[in-house]
Amino acid sequence: MIRSSRSLTLVPLLAAALRLVAQPGALDPTFLPIDVSTGQLSGFDGLVQVLVGCPDGKVLAGGNFTHCNGVERNGVARLNADGTLDLAFDPGFGANGMVWCMALQPDGRVLVGGGFTYFDGAPAKRLVRLNTDGSVDTDFSVGGGFNHDVFSVAVQEDGRVLAGGDFNQYMGEPHGRLLRLEDDGTLDASFDPGTCLGGSVNAMAVQPDGRILIGGNFSEVQGQSISAVARLHPGGELDASFSPPVWSFSMVTAIALHADGAVAVGGMIPNGVVRLQPDGHPDPGFNTNGPGLGGWAPMVNSLAALPDGGILVAGRFNAYNGVPCGNVVKVAPNGAADPTFNTGSGADGEVFALATTPNGQALIGGLFDHVDQQPRPRIARLLLTDLSTGLPGLATTELEAWPNPTEGMVNLRWEGAPPMSAELVSMDGRVLNRLAPAMSGLAQLELSALPAGHYAVRYLAAGMPRTLRIIRR
């Protein structure tokens, strides 16, 4: 029960009030993958391999699943900004096999690559383009397609499409694991990357100047001994000015570009993640003494370069430079674990996918069921700012709660104008009670009838949603 109080007396406890503003790395309780037909957390029933953030806050997901939030979605789905399934994006029968990669075009159409051979019941050998409503774009056709999986896809500024993977043929003709297509899916014969021998192309990134970074488990590019990462000119020729480290028996699975031209590279490489200078040499000031990733067979699956120079890292590991972390960590610009980013116990399964949102949040996907011991079936959103919504400022309302943790009663106090609305919610998104905020700025929250665990007061201040976590002992 929540009751407002005009007579509640403020005692010295106020000095000990705990001001809770969720820190970076915490779960965002406003993103809940809920089955709207039952009101229960649902998420995905299989692997989420790739996530792509959309400009409107929605998120595209691909992988090896058959349902999202209780609705049939084979390999591809789009979620709204609050985690509910976007029913306006309907891929029909979807993919008949694994979806490894996705890329969003500026016009909203979506490229999907993987190991599938059919999409929505029609032949689509390992690469397809979807319209903004999820239907197959028939203006893009790969014909006989690829003879093996497409692991990475990227869109250039001119609309042409780069595809990398484990294939060595396209439409029956020899092509060595990397090629470029025109906007309609036909081969761009002007792009000649030669061959990448010894392994596949797993990751790509296109620099602003048009040069192309590729990562994988290859050992040779265009006759040159190059392991795991290389850079090509826009026409496909090897860029000899880029001299990356020589790593034996290594594999690059993720590449991210910093605004200053530096390149973050991750995978099964020394330390798990490195930052390269624009010429390919390792940044001498990055992680000079740390051991990098810890755990059984640790590796990086996905990276995101952040505006503050840090790197968000996701994969399979339980520590970074000796600091415990559950498969997700933020690495500071100097290569140390960022102490301001704390995911608690982290994800309880491997994290494969990572994406950032326009308002500065981070989405993770994979094979986990919980994040920081809270249910999140295969997808979750984390905070990258010190506010649970990732939005700047608390406007004119700031909420305090004490004692917190509590064994029953919690006192609430807000400074400034009262919130327009407030409600107590469970961490699976169920509204447990509602509060009509009093002008006095004081209220009490009774949790004694609820089981021990984490809860949240979700409130609206100056038109912006805010969340404050409450712990019931």
Side-chain angles (χ1 to χ4, degrees):
M1 171 183 177
I2 299 177
R3 60 176 181 269
S4 61
S5 172
R6 294 181 181 272
S7 59
L8 182 64
T9 303
L10 289 178
V11 293
L13 276 174
L14 182 59
L18 176 60
R19 180 169 299 178
L20 288 181
V21 179
Q23 73 176 98
L27 267 176
D28 180 356
T30 67
F31 182 86
L32 294 166
I34 290 175
D35 180 345
V36 294
S37 66
T38 65
Q40 300 299 308
L41 272 176
S42 179
F44 293 90
D45 64 352
L47 167 67
V48 174
Q49 174 67 34
V50 58
L51 294 171
V52 177
C54 303
D56 59 2
K58 296 180 181 182
V59 57
L60 291 156
N64 189 24
F65 50 81
T66 60
H67 288 80
C68 172
N69 291 350
V71 179
E72 185 175 356
R73 287 291 185 269
N74 290 298
V76 175
R78 189 169 69 191
L79 279 69
N80 294 310
D82 62 359
T84 57
L85 181 64
D86 181 3
L87 296 175
F89 184 86
D90 184 357
F93 293 110
N96 72 332
M98 180 71 183
V99 171
W100 291 109
C101 57
M102 305 175 81
L104 183 64
Q105 295 189 170
D107 62 6
R109 290 182 292 180
V110 185
L111 287 151
V112 180
F116 54 85
T117 54
Y118 282 79
F119 198 96
D120 195 17
K125 288 198 173 179
R126 301 179 176 90
L127 185 65
V128 68
R129 189 167 66 191
L130 307 181
N131 293 308
T132 56
D133 62 359
S135 62
V136 173
D137 180 4
T138 56
D139 291 335
F140 182 87
S141 174
V142 298
F146 301 84
N147 67 329
H148 290 295
D149 290 15
V150 173
F151 291 144
S152 55
V153 64
V155 181
Q156 296 183 316
E157 282 192 0
D158 60 7
R160 289 184 287 186
V161 177
L162 292 159
D166 197 33
F167 55 84
N168 53 33
Q169 290 184 18
Y170 180 68
M171 292 190 179
E173 297 295 326
H175 291 282
R177 300 190 171 95
L178 179 66
L179 52 76
R180 187 166 67 194
L181 305 177
E182 301 288 355
D183 182 62
D184 61 359
T186 57
L187 182 70
D188 178 5
S190 69
F191 182 79
D192 184 12
T195 57
C196 299
L197 303 178
S200 59
V201 174
N202 302 327
M204 285 189 291
V206 181
Q207 296 185 169
D209 62 6
R211 288 184 290 183
I212 304 157
L213 287 149
I214 59 172
N217 61 346
F218 49 81
S219 57
E220 181 179 329
V221 179
Q222 297 176 14
Q224 301 297 312
S225 179
I226 297 175
S227 59
V229 63
R231 188 168 67 193
L232 308 177
H233 288 291
E237 307 87 358
L238 182 65
D239 182 359
S241 70
F242 187 79
S243 301
V246 177
W247 296 312
S248 299
F249 307 106
S250 295
M251 176 174 63
V252 167
T253 54
I255 299 173
L257 302 178
H258 287 279
D260 62 0
V263 180
V265 177
M268 294 187 73
I269 59 176
N271 295 335
V273 59
V274 300
R275 188 169 61 210
L276 306 179
Q277 299 178 103
D279 62 1
H281 291 103
D283 183 341
F286 185 84
N287 198 23
T288 55
N289 299 312
L293 300 181
W296 179 82
M299 72 174 296
V300 170
N301 293 321
S302 190
L303 296 172
L306 302 177
D308 63 1
I311 305 168
L312 204 58
V313 183
R316 182 180 63 234
F317 50 87
N318 61 21
Y320 178 79
N321 285 357
V323 179
C325 51
N327 300 311
V328 181
V329 67
K330 181 185 176 185
V331 177
N334 65 357
D338 188 335
T340 68
F341 184 87
N342 184 1
T343 61
S345 59
D348 64 358
E350 189 165 353
V351 178
F352 288 89
L354 183 63
T356 55
T357 65
N359 60 346
Q361 298 160 319
L363 291 148
I364 59 172
L367 278 174
F368 53 85
D369 293 310
H370 298 81
V371 178
D372 196 18
Q373 303 181 49
Q374 300 299 317
R376 288 297 185 277
R378 313 299 202 277
I379 189 169
R381 192 164 66 198
L382 306 178
L383 311 178
L384 288 179
T385 68
D386 61 357
L387 293 174
S388 60
T389 59
L391 298 172
L394 273 173
T396 58
T397 304
E398 189 165 353
L399 190 62
E400 294 176 330
W402 78 97
N404 193 3
T406 180
E407 295 182 357
M409 183 71 71
V410 177
N411 300 303
L412 300 178
R413 176 178 182 270
W414 46 86
E415 297 178 355
M420 288 180 268
S421 65
E423 56 193 12
L424 176 68
V425 298
S426 63
M427 296 310 285
D428 63 4
R430 289 177 295 119
V431 177
L432 304 176
N433 213 327
R434 288 185 169 85
L435 165 69
M439 292 301 296
S440 65
L442 305 175
Q444 288 183 318
L445 175 62
E446 179 59 67
L447 302 182
S448 59
L450 298 174
H454 291 241
Y455 299 88
V457 175
R458 187 165 58 196
Y459 61 105
L460 192 65
M464 288 193 258
R466 304 284 182 236
T467 308
L468 182 150
R469 183 177 294 193
I470 304 290
I471 300 173
R472 164 78 164 95
R473 284 178 176 166

